Amino acid sequence: MWEFAAGNTFGASAFTSYGAFWISLGAFIWVHYLGWFAMAQEIDMFLYFFVWGCFSALLWGITFRISKALVVVFGSLVLLFLLLAIGEYSVAVHKMAGYLGIFCGGSAIYTGYATLLNETWKGKFLPLAPYTPPESDYEAKQ
């Protein structure tokens, strides 16, 4: 929630949303374990991962205005959610999702660490390839 205070709406939205993802995933697994809504269990995890993939795709589009490092993180996250959805019906695809999850997590750790290091030491020690928008008529009029 500190991201809101810092004026980083994207960061606050992403952290809050994916925090809710983990809480809801835990609830989802618990409901499955208890056998509630057994009739819906055929497709519910597919839809759950698919919807999160769609939401991640919306955030991914925004990352093109922030940095290439975030484009990689969120692009791999979109693919990860879609592979997890398809993986509900294919063991091989589910295994591929696991490998992609390792890549996605690693790229997120790199991006987070690079941001922390660069901001703390006020330099560019690890590249993030920030987006530099071209000058436009809109900006010139501001």
Side-chain angles (χ1 to χ4, degrees):
M1 300 316 303
W2 288 109
E3 293 296 320
F4 275 127
N8 183 0
T9 306
F10 178 83
S13 300
F15 285 129
T16 303
S17 299
Y18 292 112
F21 163 78
W22 287 110
I23 292 169
S24 64
L25 180 63
F28 227 59
I29 291 170
W30 184 59
V31 166
H32 273 239
Y33 176 77
L34 294 176
W36 297 353
F37 311 113
M39 297 292 287
Q41 290 183 8
E42 292 292 321
I43 195 168
D44 59 354
M45 289 304 283
F46 169 83
L47 289 174
Y48 180 77
F49 289 131
F50 181 77
V51 168
W52 276 102
C54 292
F55 174 74
S56 298
L58 294 173
L59 291 182
W60 179 56
I62 295 168
T63 64
F64 283 89
R65 293 290 304 232
I66 301 172
S67 76
K68 292 177 185 169
L70 279 177
V71 170
V72 171
V73 171
F74 278 85
S76 62
L77 186 60
V78 170
L79 291 175
L80 174 60
F81 277 125
L82 295 179
L83 287 178
L84 284 170
I86 296 167
E88 288 298 309
Y89 301 103
S90 168
V91 174
V93 174
H94 203 257
K95 191 171 188 175
M96 287 182 355
Y99 290 118
L100 182 58
I102 293 169
F103 172 80
C104 181
S107 64
I109 289 170
Y110 171 83
T111 301
Y113 182 72
T115 301
L116 182 65
L117 179 71
N118 294 346
E119 288 181 7
T120 301
W121 291 96
K122 311 259 189 283
K124 293 185 180 180
F125 301 100
L126 292 175
L128 290 168
Y131 174 78
T132 52
E135 298 233 4
S136 67
D137 291 336
Y138 176 77
E139 291 170 350
K141 292 177 186 176
Q142 295 292 326

